[in-house]
Tab-separated table of all heavy atoms in Angstrom:
chain	number	residue	atom	x	y	z
A	11	ALA	N	3.945	1.903	4.272
A	11	ALA	CA	3.341	2.972	5.064
A	11	ALA	C	4.258	3.467	6.228
A	11	ALA	O	4.333	4.592	6.498
A	11	ALA	CB	1.958	2.528	5.536
A	59	ASN	N	26.122	14.372	0.484
A	59	ASN	CA	26.255	12.907	0.578
A	59	ASN	C	24.972	12.264	1.077
A	59	ASN	O	24.921	11.003	1.131
A	59	ASN	CB	27.333	12.536	1.575
A	59	ASN	CG	28.718	12.864	1.011
A	59	ASN	OD1	28.910	12.976	-0.151
A	59	ASN	ND2	29.715	13.086	1.936
A	64	GLN	N	10.951	14.211	-0.299
A	64	GLN	CA	9.750	15.073	-0.245
A	64	GLN	C	8.523	14.232	-0.626
A	64	GLN	O	8.487	13.635	-1.695
A	64	GLN	CB	9.871	16.213	-1.233
A	64	GLN	CG	8.690	17.174	-1.220
A	64	GLN	CD	8.855	18.360	-2.172
A	64	GLN	OE1	9.613	18.285	-3.101
A	64	GLN	NE2	8.146	19.380	-1.961
A	69	LEU	N	-1.176	13.463	-3.585
A	69	LEU	CA	-1.568	12.278	-4.339
A	69	LEU	C	-2.605	11.401	-3.634
A	69	LEU	O	-2.527	11.281	-2.384
A	69	LEU	CB	-0.365	11.386	-4.679
A	69	LEU	CG	0.629	12.077	-5.639
A	69	LEU	CD1	1.831	11.148	-5.810
A	69	LEU	CD2	0.014	12.387	-6.941
A	87	ARG	N	-8.961	9.595	-0.314
A	87	ARG	CA	-8.094	10.287	0.631
A	87	ARG	C	-6.720	10.479	-0.035
A	87	ARG	O	-6.262	9.712	-0.847
A	87	ARG	CB	-7.839	9.444	1.909
A	87	ARG	CG	-9.088	9.042	2.625
A	87	ARG	CD	-9.562	10.183	3.480
A	87	ARG	NE	-10.778	9.736	4.212
A	87	ARG	CZ	-11.619	10.525	4.728
A	87	ARG	NH1	-11.448	11.819	4.606
A	87	ARG	NH2	-12.656	10.088	5.371
Side-chain angles (χ1 to χ4, degrees):
N59 291 336
Q64 182 179 18
L69 294 178
R87 303 279 183 200

